[in-house]
Amino acid sequence: MLNLTPYILGLPLLGFLVVGLFGKRMSKAVIGGIACSAILLAFLCAVADFFSMLGQSVANRSNDVTLFHWVASGTLTINFGLLSDQLSAVMLLIVTGVGFLIHVYSIGYMGDDEGYWRFFSFLNLFVFAMALLVAADNFLFLLVGWAGVGLASFLLIGFWYTRPSAVAAARKAFVVNVIGDFGLMLAIFMLFKFFHTLDYSRIFLGISQRNVAPSPLPPPSPITGDVLTAIALLLFVAAVAKSAQLPLHVWLPDAMEGPTPVSALIHAATMVTAGVYLVARAAPIFTAAPNALVVVGIIGGASSLFAATIACVQTDIKRVLAYSTMSQLGYMFMGEAAGGFSTGIFHLTTHAYFKALLFMCAGAVIHALGGEQDMRKMGGLRSRLPYTFWMFVASGLALAAIFPFAGFWSKDAILAAIFSTAQAHTNPVWWILYAVGILTAALTGFYTFRLIFTVFLGSYRGTEVPAHGVAAVARNGNGNGNGSRNDPLANVHEVGAAMLIPMAILAVLSIIGGFDGIPRHSAIGDFLAPVLGVSPDLSGGLFWFSLLLSLAAALIGIGIAWVRYGVRQHTFAPARGLVKFLERRYYIDDLYNAVIVVPIVAVGNVLRNFAEDAALDGGSRGVARTVGATSRGLRRLQTGYVRNYALAIFVGAALIVLFYVIHP
Amino acid sequence: MHVLPFTYQPQGQDWLRILPELILLAAALLVLLVDLALPQRRKSALALVGVAGVVAAFVCAAIMIGAGDHQTAFAGMIFSDQTALLADLIILFSAGLGLLLSPGYIERQGITQQGEYYALLLLAALGMMVMASAANLMIVFVGLEVLSLALYVLSAFIVARNRSQEAGMKYFILSSFASGFLLYGMALTYGATGQTSLQGIQRFLGGHALATTSGFGPLLIAGLGLMAVGFCFKVSAVPFQAWTPDVYAGAPTAVTAFMSVGTKVAAFVALARVFMVALHPVQTQWTPILWAIAVLTMVGGNVLAATQRNVKRMLAYSSIANAGYILVAVVTGTQTAFAALLVYLASYAVMNIGAFGVVLALERNDGLGTTLDDFAGLGRRRRGLAAAMAVFLFSLAGIPPLVGFAGKYYVFYAAIVGGHLELAIIGVLTSVIGMFYYLRVVWAMYFVEPQPATAPASVVVAPAPEPVLAATTAGTSGGGSGGVALAEPAIATTSTATNTPAAAEPLTAQPAHVTPGAWLALALSLVLTIALGIIPGGLFDLANRAASVLFH
C-alpha cells in the first residue's frame, strides 16, 4: 500500500522552515506560492494515500511505518512512527484539504498585511502540527503534535501582536490549552505505568486482552475498569480544553482576535477537531470505560446547549460562529459518547466544510466593511455581496442541518446514535441528551439565520463609511473611505477571486459533502468501522421519527428567526434580564476572573513584593557572589609558572598516596 | 597468549583490523610528500589531502563497526572492537574539522610550515586512535606519546606569538612530568600482576582475591594511584588541570579545537578501559580517589570558568568541567556508565569544536578578539556566526533538545542507576554555574551594544598591541619575578587588559575571515549538535553495543 504520510508531514514543515527563515526577503507571490503548494502537495499525497487505501482489502488498510527509533530507556521504547489507517486518512484529507483552501483564501485576505511571510509560515506550522497529531502512531508523538497545535494557535491568535486584546486572547488560549496538555500528559503517564508502552496498537491490544500484559513486564496492578476510566477521563480533559467544551471553553470566543483565516483554520481543520479526534482514536479505551463515556456525553450535551443559547444573543459576527463551533463540537462528543465514534468523525468532516465556509463568508463581510464585526452595524449587504450572501446561506443551511445539506446527514447520524443508545440503556441521561440535541437543533437554526438575516437583509445600519481592506483590521480602525455620503455602501464590493474560489469549492462541499453518510448506506461509516466500530443506528419508524423531528426543530428555529429578524428591521435594544445573562456568557468568564485570575495575580504581587526581592533574588545574588569570589580566589593559583603547576601535580599525587596510607 | 612473542608473524587480518590507523598514517606521509611539490601559495591544498585521508579512514572505521570482526590484532596488543571504532570515529571527526578550520586561520597567523602542521595534526590523531584502541598498557603509552609529541609542536606552532611558544613549552614539560607518573604506575601494575595486557590484568585480578597484606597488594595500589595521576593530567582533571587553560588559550585555535576533543576521547577511553574494565575487580580501591577527583574537577572547572572574560580561555575551563562530568561516568563504573561516557565524548566533540570554530573565526591576527567585549553585539554584526555560537553554547550548557543535553542526561542517569546519586546532584548543581558562563556569551552577543570606536582606525594601528604588553608585564610583576610566563592576567589588571584594546580599535576594522572550509566545519557541527540532540537513539545504540561487548 502506498504510504506517503511522511511527505504529508514533511511538506508543510519544509514550507514553514523555508518561509519562516527566508520569507522576509521573498516577494508575496513567492511566499504564497511556497506555502500553498506545500499544503496542496501534502493534500495530493493524502488523496493518493486514500485511494491506494481504498484499493486494499479492508483487513490491509492499516499501515504503520517506523521512521526512526527516537529513544529507548529501560522498558520505554519510543519510535517516531506514522500510522496510516482509515481514521488518520480521513483526518489528513480534511486537515490538508480544508487547510489548503484556507491558505488560498489567506492570499487574498492577508494581501496587504506586513506580516505576510510570518502569517504563512505559521499557517504551515499549524498544518504540520495537526498532521503530526493525527498521523502519530503513539501517544507521545500525539502529544508533540498536540503541543505544536497549541503553539501555532498561540502564534496565530496573537498574530497582530501590537493589539493588547490579541495578545491577551493568545495567552488565554495557551493557558487554557496547557490545562488540557497536562491532562494528556497524566493520561500518558498512566498508560505507560499500566501498559509499558505508548503505541496505540499495543495499548488497544492490551485492553482487548485485559489482564494479559502486552509486554514482558507485568503491570504493577491489574488493569481494572477504574484505571481505564481514569485514563479515559484524563484524555477527555485534554479533549475538552482543545475542543473548547465546558468548562474550558473560554478561550475559543476570544480567539476571534486572530485574523479570520486563522479562525477558519482553528474551527474547521486543525485545532478544535483535535479533541474529537483524540476521543475517536482512543475509542477502545473509552468503550472499555462506559462511565467515562457518560461524562463525555454530559459535557458534550451541556456545552452544545450552553453555546447555542449564548450564540442566540451575540452581536459580534465571529463570536456567533465561535459559539456555534463549540455547540457543534458538543454534538460530536455526544455522538461519540453514544458509541457512534464514526458519526462524530463524520460530523467533523461536514462541519469542517461549512464552518470553514461560514468563517470565510464572515471574513468577506468583515473585509468588505473594513474591519467591522458588529452585526448591529450591518444590514442590507445582500445586493453588494451577492456571492457571499448565497454561500453564507448554503453554509448556514448546512449548519442548521436542513435537508439535503451536509450538516443534515451528519447531525442526523449523531441523533440517531443517541436515540438508539437511549433505547438500549436504562440510564435516563441518554434521553435527556437526545432532548438536548433536538433543542439545540432548533436553537442552531435560530441563531444561524438571525445572523444571516441581520447581516444581509434590511438596510445598512452602520454610521460610518467603511474603508476597504484588511489593513484596516490590522490597524484596528475603521479608516476613512471616500465614498459618497448618500450611499454608505458605495465602497463595499465583493472580494477577489483568491477568496471567492475557495469559498465556492467549500459551498459545493457544504451542499453535497454529507452524501457519503446517508443513513444505512453510510460510506464513511463503513469505511471507518474497522477502526471505530459500527455506530448504533435506528430502523423503521423510529428512524423517520428522529429524522423528521430534528428537521422540524431546525425549521422552527429558522422560522422564529425569520419572524424576528427577517420580515422587518430589528432594532437592537440594550440587553436586559435573561438576554443580558446570556450575552454575558452566563458570567463564566467573570467567575473565572474573580475566582482564579484575581487571586493568582494577588498572590503573585505579594510574592513579587515581599518574597522575590529579599529571599529569591537575594539568595541567588548571594550564591553568585560566593561563586565569583571563590573563582577570583582560585584564579590566583593559576600563576602561569610551570613550577607551580608541576607542584600541583605533585601535591595531587602525594595526596593520593597519603589517602592509601591512611585508608586501610 | 596475550604475550607478543619475538617471532610473532602478523597475519593479513592484523593489518585489516588497524586499517583506519594505517590510512591516516599514509595520509600524514602523503601530506609531507605533497608539501615538497607545492608552491607556497598553494599550500592550503594540503588540508584537502589531509581531509581526504581523514574521510577515508572515517568511512573505513564506520564500515568496520558494522562489518568488522571486532577482535584484537597483533596478538592481543590492540583492539578493533566497537569502542575503539566509535572512538576512532569521534577522533577522526574532530581531526577532520580541525583540518577544515585550519587553512585560512594558520595563514592569518603567519604559519608557513604548513606541511609539517597538517602532518603533525594527522599524526596526533593517529596517536589518539592508537591510545583509544590499546589493549595493552604499553600500547596505551605509545599512543599517548605519539599524540603528545605531535601536540607539543602544534601548540607552539605560531612562531611569532609568545603565548603559543609558551603554551608548547609548558605542555611539553608538564606532560613529560605526568607521563613519568603514568609509566611508573604501569610498571608497578605490571610488577603486581605480571601482566601488561588489559585482559590479562583483569583475568589475574579476577582470579585472586585482593588482600592488601599479600605481596602484590601495595604494589598494585601504588600502580593504580600513579596511573590515575597520569591519566587525570591528560584529561585535565583537577588538581592536574593547571596547564589546560594556558595551553588551550596559547595554542593555535584550530589545534585547540582539535586537541580539546581528541585528547579527551583518547585519554578517557584508555582510562575507562584501564580502570572500568581491567581494574574492575579492584573497583573499591580506586573509586574513592577518582570520586574525589571528579568532584574537584566539576566544582573547580566550573567555578574557575565563571570569571573568565576571554571566551577561548572560558572554553578551556569548560573542558575541565566537562572532564568532571565524564569522570562521573568512570567512577560509576557500570556498563551503562561506559556507554554514557562514549555518548558524552561524542556529544562534547560535536559541540565543542563548533564553539572553538566560532572563536577561531573571530580571532584576530594578534591573537586578540576573543573576549566578551568582542562578542558584544555579534548577533547583529554576524548573524550566522552568532546563531551558531548560541546553539553550541546552549548545547554545552545542556539545554534540550541539543546534543549536550543527551550526553549529560545519559551520564547522570547512569550515575543514579549505578548508585552514585550524590555525583549526579553535584553534577547538576555545578552545571548551573556552567549555565552562567555559557549563557553570558549569548547575552553578550545579543543584548550588549558593542563599544563604539573612540578613535579613527588609522591612528590606532601602532598603539594597539601596547595594552596587551602592559597587561602581560603588569601580571608578571604581580607574580613577583621576571619572564614572560603569565597566561592568567592578574585580577587588578583584568579590566584594563580586556577593555582597552576593544575600546581603542574599531571592532569592524578587521572583519572575521571565514573560509568555505570553516563554514563547512561549522555547519557540520551545527547540524550534528541539533540532529543528535533530537534523535540520539542511534548514538545511544552504538554506545550501548560497544559497552555491552566490553562488559560481556
Side-chain angles (χ1 to χ4, degrees), chain A residues 1-5 45 47-53 56 63 84:
Chain A
M1 189 175 88
L2 198 59
N3 191 342
L4 300 174
T5 317
C45 289
V47 170
D49 263 2
F50 177 69
F51 281 107
S52 150
M53 186 180 285
Q56 300 287 320
N63 182 352
S84 171

Side-chain angles (χ1 to χ4, degrees), chain A residues 8 16 18 43 65 85 113 171 249-250 267 279 309 329 338 373 423 429 458 479 497 537 549 552 578 585 623 638 649:
Chain A
I8 302 175
F16 160 63
V18 170
F43 174 61
V65 283
D85 67 355
D113 196 282
R171 195 172 49 206
H249 64 284
V250 288
H267 289 258
V279 174
T309 53
L329 290 165
Q373 301 194 18
Q423 281 183 307
V429 75
D537 207 345
L549 184 64
L578 177 65
R585 294 162 262 159
V623 170
Q638 197 77 20
I649 296 173

Side-chain angles (χ1 to χ4, degrees), chain A residues 25 68-74 627-632 634-643 645-653 655-657 659-660 663-664, chain B residues 170 173-174 177 181 221 224-225 229 233 239-243 245-246 285-286 288-289 303-304 306-308 313 317 433 481-482 485-486 488-489 491 534-537:
Chain A
R25 283 174 222 147
F68 53 81
H69 292 286
W70 187 60
V71 73
S73 169
V627 170
T630 317
S631 182
R632 274 186 292 277
L634 283 177
R635 273 178 78 169
R636 291 174 198 281
L637 293 176
Q638 197 77 20
T639 55
Y641 293 110
V642 172
R643 54 177 183 266
Y645 293 180
L647 185 64
I649 296 173
F650 188 77
V651 168
L655 284 175
I656 291 175
V657 171
F659 170 78
Y660 282 123
H663 190 76
Chain B
K170 273 183 181 168
I173 295 173
L174 292 168
F177 186 53
F181 281 97
I221 296 297
L224 66 87
V229 173
F233 174 87
F240 315 105
Q241 90 300 352
W243 60 279
D246 296 3
Q285 297 297 316
W286 54 260
I289 49 166
V303 167
L304 275 165
T307 42
Q308 296 300 322
R313 236 178 133 71
Y317 279 106
I433 306 177
S481 76
L486 193 82
E488 185 81 14
I491 313 303
I534 296 173
I535 317 166

Side-chain angles (χ1 to χ4, degrees), chain A residues 16-309:
Chain A
F16 160 63
L17 291 176
V18 170
V19 176
L21 289 175
F22 310 111
K24 212 169 183 178
R25 283 174 222 147
M26 293 175 179
S27 71
K28 286 188 174 174
V30 175
I31 295 169
I34 292 175
C36 291
S37 51
I39 307 298
L40 177 62
L41 288 173
F43 174 61
L44 293 178
C45 289
V47 170
D49 263 2
F50 177 69
F51 281 107
S52 150
M53 186 180 285
L54 284 185
Q56 300 287 320
S57 66
V58 173
N60 295 330
R61 282 182 180 171
S62 182
N63 182 352
D64 198 344
V65 283
T66 298
L67 290 190
F68 53 81
H69 292 286
W70 187 60
V71 73
S73 169
T75 57
L76 174 68
T77 306
I78 293 172
N79 298 326
F80 182 60
L82 297 176
L83 175 65
S84 171
D85 67 355
Q86 290 91 332
L87 178 57
S88 61
V90 168
M91 290 299 296
L92 285 174
L93 280 176
I94 293 294
V95 170
T96 55
V98 178
F100 168 67
L101 294 176
I102 294 170
H103 270 69
V104 175
Y105 177 86
S106 304
I107 290 182
Y109 193 86
M110 300 300 286
D112 46 4
D113 196 282
E114 285 170 10
Y116 198 72
W117 63 278
R118 207 159 46 88
F119 187 76
F120 276 96
S121 69
F122 290 167
L123 277 193
N124 272 359
L125 174 66
F126 211 159
V127 172
F128 162 72
M130 189 66 192
L132 176 61
L133 193 161
V134 298
D137 76 343
N138 60 62
F139 277 99
L140 192 78
F141 277 95
L142 171 100
L143 177 66
V144 174
W146 194 268
V149 167
L151 170 67
S153 66
F154 171 78
L155 293 171
L156 282 168
I157 294 170
F159 181 74
W160 285 319
Y161 55 81
T162 48
R163 285 160 57 167
S165 59
V167 174
R171 195 172 49 206
K172 191 169 181 181
F174 198 73
V175 169
V176 174
N177 271 294
V178 164
I179 298 175
D181 296 355
F182 196 64
L184 186 53
M185 279 192 268
L186 290 179
I188 287 175
F189 297 155
M190 282 194 73
L191 283 169
F192 181 66
K193 183 172 156 66
F194 286 97
F195 293 93
H196 301 291
T197 178
L198 295 178
D199 292 349
Y200 298 146
S201 53
R202 292 173 62 196
I203 288 173
F204 299 158
L205 188 71
I207 291 171
S208 64
Q209 324 166 334
R210 195 88 60 83
N211 297 333
V212 179
S215 74
L217 288 176
S221 59
I223 302 163
T224 60
D226 290 345
V227 169
L228 289 173
T229 305
I231 292 172
L233 286 177
L234 285 170
L235 288 175
F236 188 57
V237 168
V240 161
K242 201 58 104 193
S243 294
Q245 299 293 289
L246 280 174
L248 297 178
H249 64 284
V250 288
W251 65 271
L252 189 63
D254 290 21
M256 294 299 114
E257 288 292 341
T260 305
V262 174
S263 308
L265 201 56
I266 286 179
H267 289 258
T270 50
M271 178 110 172
V272 294
T273 54
V276 179
Y277 166 79
L278 176 62
V279 174
R281 176 54 84 196
I285 299 177
F286 280 92
T287 312
N291 291 336
L293 273 184
V294 174
V295 175
V296 173
I298 292 173
I299 296 281
S303 305
S304 163
L305 184 62
F306 168 84
T309 53

Side-chain angles (χ1 to χ4, degrees), chain B residues 32-179:
Chain B
L32 285 177
L33 277 178
V34 174
D35 180 38
L36 298 175
L38 281 179
Q40 186 61 39
R41 64 193 163 76
R42 306 275 307 275
K43 292 286 191 198
S44 38
L46 291 170
L48 288 181
V49 177
V51 169
V54 167
V55 169
F58 189 92
V59 170
C60 175
I63 292 172
M64 282 167 68
I65 279 195
D69 58 2
H70 305 138
Q71 299 298 312
T72 56
F74 297 99
M77 294 303 274
I78 191 158
F79 280 116
S80 156
D81 59 355
Q82 274 139 330
T83 307
L85 291 167
L86 182 56
D88 284 355
L89 287 183
I90 307 172
I91 292 164
L92 287 166
F93 172 80
S94 45
L97 261 55
L99 287 171
L100 285 174
L101 287 171
S102 293
Y105 175 77
I106 59 172
E107 277 153 26
R108 266 196 287 147
Q109 305 295 344
I111 293 174
T112 49
Q113 314 295 321
Q114 297 197 19
E116 282 108 281
Y117 176 88
Y118 291 119
L120 283 169
L121 210 153
L122 290 170
L123 287 172
L126 174 66
M128 292 167 186
M129 287 162 68
V130 169
M131 190 177 178
S133 316
N136 189 298
L137 290 178
M138 304 317 298
I139 303 295
V140 171
F141 194 74
V142 169
L144 175 70
E145 287 306 301
V146 171
L147 82 89
S148 299
L149 282 170
L151 287 179
Y152 302 151
V153 184
L154 283 174
S155 302
F157 225 86
I158 307 179
V159 183
R161 202 193 291 170
N162 280 346
R163 284 176 172 233
S164 176
Q165 302 288 303
E166 184 189 323
M169 198 63 198
K170 273 183 181 168
Y171 194 21
F172 172 59
I173 295 173
L174 292 168
S175 183
S176 310
F177 186 53
S179 292

